[in-house]
Amino acid sequence: MEKKFDWKNLFFIVPFLLLISISLLLMYHAGFISNLYQNHFEKQLLWFGIGFLVLIFFHFFPIQYLFKYSLFFYIFNVLLLILVLFIGKNINGAKAWIDLKYFSFQPSEFMKVSYSLYLAYLCSKKKFFRWRDEIKFLLYVLLLFAIPAILVFLEPDTGAIIFYFFITLVLLWNSRIHKRWFVIFGILVISLISGFFYLFFWQKDLLISLIGTTFFYRVDRLFALGSGMQIENALIAIGSAPLWRFSLTETGIYIPEAPTDFAFALTSNVLGITGNVLILLAFLLLDFYFIHYAKKIKKKEYRLFLYAFLVIFIFSQLINISMNIGIFPIIGIPLPFISYGGSSTIVLFIFLGIIFQSTKKKLK
């Protein structure tokens, strides 16, 4: 007997297709902004096509093996992160892409999947009988986090490190580990951050001698909120946009990196404020859909993997839109299913493919 269509899935399908449609409109428009973006529409269409093939692939793939052998995926991804430091393609000062002639990919994006798989598997299986077991486990998780974080920092890619960090916190919180460790960790983090800010604002010479000039100025740029041509033009584009427009060929306010970091502001140029509102509503529906979807997932490692996806998905929305309105530093976080990018888009589809398979009866 065929399974009846669940009408609740429309809360995923409709906003999901809306975001993809807006993305393709933006990429088509980007071709009129600069010759650098001439092929963005065709490439983005290709990434979405590959993404749907990924969904079909995972429909037939026994995903329990992904969790069982997740350590090997993690190790392989670490090797890719090491490799990119030696042979990586330098784009905008970051050596984060491996170029394979016909296409390039970003290992730090795929590490989000590998790390989430392995950490979800660990946190769901590990049991603790003594506090020493918890310490050993925490030190092991710290090592798992530190290896990709340090390698990605060297690229540099600050955004990916933020995601690794919050994935770690959320999955540990939902593990069997005692919550006292979060109190201890919170006190430690607050103390370190307070000490760092003291040195940054009042003892800059000492801080530079400790961390070096390069890292200091990377941090210093993070505090330059609301300044620079990108932010200023993005704010003008959003602030001056009419309620509605449909302009695919008129370039409007020029925004550097418009198809990637500033796709939300670019939407104002193409569709007006209505386009921005549609994006916000689509994300709101998808966020609630996935939060509700977690209730369907019985096996803990699959549910934790969904939590990791929610960290990436929701934080990407919040950070990217905050970047566009000048209240968060520009750290290269794409807007999910909107911004141009092959690696980030395909990684999202991989997450979706695994998550949607996690409710199959044979997997419960």
Side-chain angles (χ1 to χ4, degrees):
M1 184 176 178
E2 292 187 4
K3 185 179 179 181
K4 291 183 178 180
F5 178 74
D6 187 353
W7 291 100
K8 292 179 182 178
N9 290 332
L10 288 176
F11 287 97
F12 167 76
I13 296 171
V14 173
F16 176 65
L17 293 179
L18 176 63
L19 292 177
I20 288 178
S21 300
I22 291 175
S23 176
L24 292 175
L25 287 175
L26 297 184
M27 296 313 114
Y28 180 82
H29 171 77
F32 295 92
I33 298 176
S34 169
N35 290 331
L36 296 173
Y37 311 141
Q38 284 294 321
N39 299 322
H40 275 31
F41 174 78
E42 291 81 2
K43 287 185 178 180
Q44 190 76 339
L45 189 61
L46 175 63
W47 305 140
F48 285 137
I50 294 173
F52 282 108
L53 290 177
V54 167
L55 292 181
I56 295 171
F57 170 77
F58 281 110
H59 182 73
F60 301 100
F61 190 86
I63 64 168
Q64 59 268 30
Y65 293 113
L66 293 177
F67 290 90
K68 185 177 180 180
Y69 300 108
S70 54
L71 175 59
F72 297 103
F73 297 127
Y74 172 84
I75 293 172
F76 177 71
N77 222 145
V78 167
L79 295 176
L80 289 178
L81 288 175
I82 296 172
L83 185 64
V84 76
L85 295 176
F86 293 97
I87 67 167
K89 183 179 180 181
N90 195 311
I91 299 177
N92 295 331
K95 211 171 187 181
W97 287 263
I98 292 179
D99 192 354
L100 298 178
K101 189 175 181 181
Y102 295 107
F103 68 94
S104 58
F105 69 97
Q106 199 171 356
S108 61
E109 286 291 328
F110 289 92
M111 176 54 80
K112 293 174 184 176
V113 181
S114 304
Y115 184 61
S116 299
L117 279 169
Y118 186 47
L119 190 57
Y121 181 76
L122 280 179
C123 290
S124 65
K125 301 297 182 184
K126 197 70 175 176
K127 296 181 180 179
F128 308 101
F129 302 99
R130 299 175 301 172
W131 63 270
R132 292 179 182 176
D133 298 330
E134 292 185 324
I135 290 180
K136 290 179 182 178
F137 178 71
L138 287 173
L139 290 175
Y140 182 58
V141 170
L142 178 63
L143 179 64
L144 291 176
F145 164 76
I147 292 173
I150 292 171
L151 292 173
V152 169
F153 175 79
L154 296 174
E155 293 181 1
D157 184 358
T158 308
I161 300 172
I162 292 174
F163 287 119
Y164 301 158
F165 176 75
F166 282 106
I167 287 170
T168 306
L169 281 185
V170 170
L171 268 57
L172 284 176
W173 180 265
N174 288 278
S175 69
R176 296 181 178 90
I177 199 164
H178 199 283
K179 298 302 184 286
R180 62 171 173 259
W181 299 111
F182 291 91
V183 177
I184 296 171
F185 177 75
I187 294 172
L188 179 61
V189 168
I190 291 172
S191 301
L192 290 174
I193 292 175
S194 300
F196 180 84
F197 280 135
Y198 170 76
L199 293 175
F200 182 83
F201 289 109
W202 290 285
Q203 300 289 337
K204 291 189 177 182
D205 292 337
L206 176 59
L207 183 60
I208 291 173
S209 66
L210 292 173
I211 65 176
T213 305
T214 302
F215 180 55
F216 176 82
Y217 285 110
R218 280 175 59 185
V219 175
D220 189 49
R221 284 196 297 270
L222 295 179
F223 290 94
L225 296 177
S227 63
M229 186 176 73
Q230 287 178 312
I231 292 294
E232 291 172 1
N233 286 14
L235 291 173
I236 292 171
I238 296 172
S240 63
L243 180 63
W244 166 253
R245 66 152 58 107
F246 189 76
S247 177
L248 293 180
T249 57
E250 297 179 9
T251 56
I253 304 296
Y254 175 70
I255 308 168
E257 304 298 331
T260 50
D261 295 348
F262 290 91
F264 187 75
L266 181 62
T267 304
S268 301
N269 277 345
V270 179
L271 300 174
I273 296 301
T274 301
N276 299 120
V277 172
L278 287 174
I279 288 175
L280 293 174
L281 288 175
F283 280 133
L284 188 63
L285 287 173
L286 287 174
D287 293 341
F288 278 110
Y289 175 83
F290 285 116
I291 292 170
H292 176 75
Y293 195 89
K295 299 176 183 177
K296 297 181 180 181
I297 302 176
K298 304 301 180 182
K299 293 196 72 172
K300 190 168 184 178
E301 60 262 41
Y302 301 155
R303 190 166 61 253
L304 291 179
F305 185 75
L306 172 55
Y307 292 161
F309 167 76
L310 281 170
V311 169
I312 296 167
F313 190 59
I314 294 176
F315 271 76
S316 293
Q317 301 164 34
L318 295 175
I319 293 174
N320 181 275
I321 294 172
S322 297
M323 283 164 44
N324 277 244
I325 61 177
I327 62 173
F328 199 87
I330 303 171
I331 56 174
I333 302 295
L335 193 59
F337 300 116
I338 295 285
S339 295
Y340 173 79
S343 296
S344 58
T345 299
I346 292 172
V347 161
L348 288 174
F349 274 97
I350 293 173
F351 269 102
L352 291 181
I354 297 173
I355 289 167
F356 289 149
Q357 285 303 95
S358 62
T359 54
K360 275 191 171 183
K361 288 184 178 181
K362 65 181 180 180
L363 298 177
K364 291 182 181 181

